[in-house]
Amino acid sequence: MSEPITVLVVDDERIIRDGLAVILDSQEDITVVGTAGDGEEAVEVCVRLKPDVLMLDIRMPRRDGLWTLAELARRGMLGPRHTQALMLTTFDLDEYVDQALAAGAVGFLLKNSSYEELTAAVRATAAGHSALSPAVTQRIIASHLATRQRPDNGDLNRLADLTPRERDVLRLVGDGLSNAEIAVRLVVSLHTVKTHVSRVLAKTGCQSRAQAAVLARRTGNPLPPRTE
């Protein structure tokens, strides 16, 4: 049996973080190794325990979730083979969503998500997959469609090495489709989709599937032709 996913829960409201800890600890494959009430404490505990997943409230007094992400990134503790960050908020229109994803968060969920959504998000985050609630996904898409009229040349250059099929996969990731849904849409195996997604992340320099989704939306639809 594989080792359980270790989680650090961070929220300034004790009743929330304790409740989340109870929910997650009830799963056989998830173990809550600690909790913290603010960003500074979160960094200290994360350095000491090195959890697989950091479930982090984005809005906290003193040091918030964005500061926490930045500090952990500065210490080289975020990303694959390190700690993956899953952000929590009570707001489906939180102005910090884009900043959190750009800072290295793998997922972003509302605190009123169901037990099933929370536990599934932890598993997806531990695997390095994007975990975005439908409300957050739609907000990101709407935001970029409203504010970005033309793609940035730097973003376009990040797409130069993608194959046509990898471009298709990136576009569908940007549309919010899961790997399973992409496999059905492209009539390929799930393993093939996972391989394409991994290559897209590597070639574009995205740290997570969530960042790839934002890149896809920024660069528009359809994606520009590949340069030889």
Side-chain angles (χ1 to χ4, degrees), residues 62-226:
R62 293 203 302 167
R63 299 294 193 179
D64 63 14
L66 294 178
W67 179 90
T68 305
L69 287 178
E71 181 61 19
L72 290 173
R74 186 183 70 81
R75 299 185 184 208
M77 296 189 63
L78 285 184
R81 296 179 298 279
H82 297 289
T83 295
Q84 302 277 30
L86 174 64
M87 310 302 291
L88 285 171
T89 184
T90 56
F91 305 95
D92 61 353
L93 295 177
D94 199 311
E95 64 269 26
Y96 296 144
V97 170
D98 292 348
Q99 296 178 57
L101 293 176
V106 175
F108 206 111
L109 286 178
L110 305 182
K111 290 184 181 179
N112 63 1
S113 298
S114 68
Y115 290 6
E116 292 78 10
E117 289 172 331
L118 285 169
T119 53
V122 167
R123 296 184 182 103
T125 300
H129 301 153
S130 175
L132 294 174
S133 71
V136 172
T137 301
Q138 291 303 314
R139 197 206 70 76
I140 291 173
I141 292 174
S143 172
H144 285 290
L145 288 179
T147 60
R148 294 299 298 269
Q149 300 301 318
R150 299 179 59 186
D152 179 85
N153 286 335
D155 287 336
L156 293 177
N157 290 337
R158 295 168 67 184
L159 309 180
D161 293 332
L162 298 182
T163 66
R165 181 43 61 93
E166 288 165 354
R167 291 160 185 266
D168 291 338
V169 170
L170 177 60
R171 183 183 298 109
L172 295 175
V173 167
D175 287 340
L177 273 65
S178 67
N179 283 350
E181 291 169 332
I182 293 174
V184 172
R185 181 74 62 86
L186 298 181
V187 195
V188 296
S189 70
L190 183 59
H191 174 75
T192 297
V193 173
K194 290 180 179 178
T195 298
H196 284 316
V197 170
S198 295
R199 289 174 179 170
V200 166
L201 296 181
K203 290 182 178 181
T204 60
C206 292
Q207 297 181 7
S208 69
R209 186 189 185 95
Q211 288 188 7
V214 172
L215 176 64
R217 300 311 306 187
R218 283 208 303 257
T219 50
N221 189 7
L223 298 178
R226 183 184 182 189

Side-chain angles (χ1 to χ4, degrees), residues 3-8 29-33 49-54 122 126:
E3 293 295 320
I5 299 167
T6 56
V7 180
L8 171 64
D29 60 335
I30 299 174
T31 298
V32 175
V33 293
L49 299 179
K50 298 179 176 60
D52 298 318
V53 175
L54 172 64
V122 167

